Structure formats: structure tokens, C-alpha cells
Amino acid sequence: IAGFIAASPYAVLSWPLFRDALIITWFTGAPSGSLANLERSWIPYIGIVANPLGWPLFALALAGMVIGGWRLLRAGTESRLRQFYGIHLAWIVIFYGFYGITAHRALRFIMPIGPLLVLIAAVAAVALIRSASRPGLRVAAVALAAFVAVYSTAYAARTAHMFAADIRYAAER
């Protein structure tokens, strides 16, 4: 809240004008003319986030969010880890909750959560490896983490190559 007030002081200093601007934007801020009757859903953003990350990394990030949420709520979690999970999960959930419900769906709006999803995926990979009680399970957990790392690296390299070859980007040079 303090950050919003610092970045938008006129919202507080001139609340009636700010409120009216929000109302006008709500009713006129969409290509169809109104944001009031547009379909709103978080579901389309699942694919919009998962496709650039790659589905294996996205699935591991979801597992990391579950692990992080469980550790955040568990009484025995040390304070440092509770802060880590609290900050990262709050940013992901609040950001996705806000931008995911918008009618205009684009990758550039939701990707600020991308780096945190990768960190949370790493948390899940480490948790899976550490929780493996038998050597065979540990090998499987390491193999899963290695597969996700190799797949994601190759997927990102291919995506970067596709964007580099896109004529829209070549025209900028």
C-alpha cells in the first residue's frame, strides 16, 4: 500500500478524480469499449505461463508452491524459511490473482512471476531429492530434476532461437 501511495500520490491527494478515472477506465478500457461485460478467468493464463516455462518446469513450480504453502503454515518451519516462502508465494499468488483476472491476456503482463516460479520449482526439486528415503527413490528424484533442467534449457534455447529468427525482431536491427 505504501508503495502504491508513493508511486501514485494523486490517488490519495485527489481521491475523487482518481476514483472517477478508475470508473471511466473500467467502462471504456477494453477493445470492445467496456471492461464490465468481458469474460474474466484465471484459466487462460495457466497456458500463457506454462508454455514459455515448459510444462515440466511449470508442474515442478506448482509442486513447489504446494510444498512452500505447507511449510509456510507448518508450525516447525524456521523463521528464515517462513519469510522466504511467504514473500515468494505472496508475490506469485497476488500478482497472478490480479493480472490473471484481466480481460487482456498477454505473456508480458504475467511473466514477472516467472523467475519466482523457477525458484519455487528448485525448492520442489531439492525437497523431492532430500525426502527420498531409499536410494532408488533418490535416483528417481535426481533424474526428474535433471530431466526438468535439461528439458527447460533446451526449450529456452529453442524459444530464444525462434524469437531471434522472427522477422519482426530482425527488422529492428
Side-chain angles (χ1 to χ4, degrees):
I1 294 174
F4 173 77
I5 292 170
S8 307
Y10 98 95
V12 175
L13 298 174
S14 183
W15 170 247
L17 287 174
F18 182 74
R19 181 196 61 229
D20 292 343
L22 284 176
I23 292 168
I24 289 168
T25 301
W26 181 261
F27 286 109
T28 63
S32 64
S34 173
L35 292 173
N37 296 323
L38 291 176
E39 176 216 348
R40 295 170 188 280
S41 173
W42 289 285
I43 294 172
Y45 263 118
I46 292 172
I48 291 172
V49 172
N51 284 330
L53 290 177
W55 284 92
L57 182 60
F58 181 71
L60 200 56
L62 291 179
M65 290 179 66
V66 170
I67 291 167
W70 177 72
R71 288 182 177 172
L72 183 64
L73 298 175
R74 194 178 69 179
T77 304
E78 64 182 85
S79 174
R80 179 181 57 87
L81 287 175
R82 185 165 291 170
Q83 291 171 357
F84 171 83
Y85 293 123
I87 289 170
H88 290 80
L89 293 177
W91 175 255
I92 292 168
V93 170
I94 291 170
F95 201 88
Y96 185 83
F98 180 77
Y99 280 101
I101 200 67
T102 61
H104 184 79
R105 297 177 184 106
L107 178 62
R108 67 180 178 267
F109 296 131
I110 203 70
M111 276 320 285
I113 66 172
L116 296 181
L117 289 172
V118 173
L119 284 174
I120 293 294
V123 165
V126 170
L128 287 172
I129 292 167
R130 287 184 177 172
S131 68
S133 56
R134 294 189 309 241
L137 292 176
R138 192 184 238 357
V139 168
V142 169
L144 175 67
F147 166 75
V148 171
V150 169
Y151 177 88
S152 297
T153 301
Y155 189 83
R158 174 68 179 138
T159 302
H161 174 72
M162 286 177 7
F163 278 114
D166 191 335
I167 60 170
R168 293 174 294 177
Y169 296 103
E172 284 184 0
R173 294 184 194 134

